Amino acid sequence: MSAYSSPLLKILFSKSGNRCAFPKCTSPITEGETVIGEICHIAAASPKGPRFDASQDDAARNGQGNLVLLCPTHHTVIDADVESYTVERLLKMKLDHEASVTPVQGEEAANGTLLLFDQSVRNDRYCHRHR
């Protein structure tokens, strides 16, 4: 079962504009019927992950405010450099990205949401990369 609800993923995908949130990256999150991007935790989902915050409860840890959609390259970049990519910097990156893109709506939002939901159920690397 996915840690993410369909409504949560719809908000996340819509606000992403179907683009990686890393500055100046134009990689899509979905392309046709394929999920290219990844659901990424700003503060890690597990104690072994980057930027883990023990004070977060599971709802906050897996909530829209702690999630961002990134391409695989930029997900790797931010998780490999926790000194440069702090929680504060990633939150700002997410908010700046959401403010600069046109939200995805209608059928494209519904299709992207279904693809992300299906992918998160089938492949838990999106949910638990750092076990």
Side-chain angles (χ1 to χ4, degrees):
M1 184 70 181
S2 174
Y4 312 114
S5 68
S6 183
L8 172 99
L9 292 175
K10 185 172 186 176
I11 291 167
L12 193 63
F13 182 74
S14 176
K15 287 184 172 190
S16 79
N18 194 28
R19 292 284 176 242
C20 172
F22 198 87
K24 299 183 182 175
C25 183
T26 59
S27 293
I29 299 303
T30 65
E31 195 169 87
E33 296 296 313
T34 304
V35 176
I36 308 293
E38 297 178 352
I39 302 167
C40 310
H41 287 84
I42 292 171
S46 74
K48 294 179 184 178
R51 298 170 303 276
F52 181 75
D53 180 354
S55 70
Q56 275 186 324
D57 62 19
D58 285 341
R61 193 168 287 121
N62 292 305
Q64 194 271 336
N66 190 49
L67 300 174
V68 62
L69 298 178
L70 296 168
C71 68
T73 299
H74 287 119
H75 190 180
T76 300
V77 165
I78 68 161
D79 283 356
D81 188 357
V82 295
E83 289 181 23
S84 294
Y85 295 100
T86 63
V87 168
E88 294 76 19
R89 183 174 180 189
L90 294 175
L91 287 170
K92 182 176 179 347
M93 181 189 309
K94 173 186 167 116
L95 293 174
D96 288 350
H97 175 75
E98 290 175 352
S100 71
V101 299
T102 302
V104 178
Q105 304 208 8
E107 190 173 326
E108 184 182 3
N111 290 341
T113 302
L114 289 173
L115 289 171
L116 285 172
F117 187 77
D118 183 51
Q119 189 70 17
S120 70
V121 170
R122 287 187 293 121
N123 185 349
D124 76 358
R125 78 182 171 108
Y126 292 101
C127 304
H128 306 285
R129 184 183 223 196
H130 302 282
R131 286 190 202 189

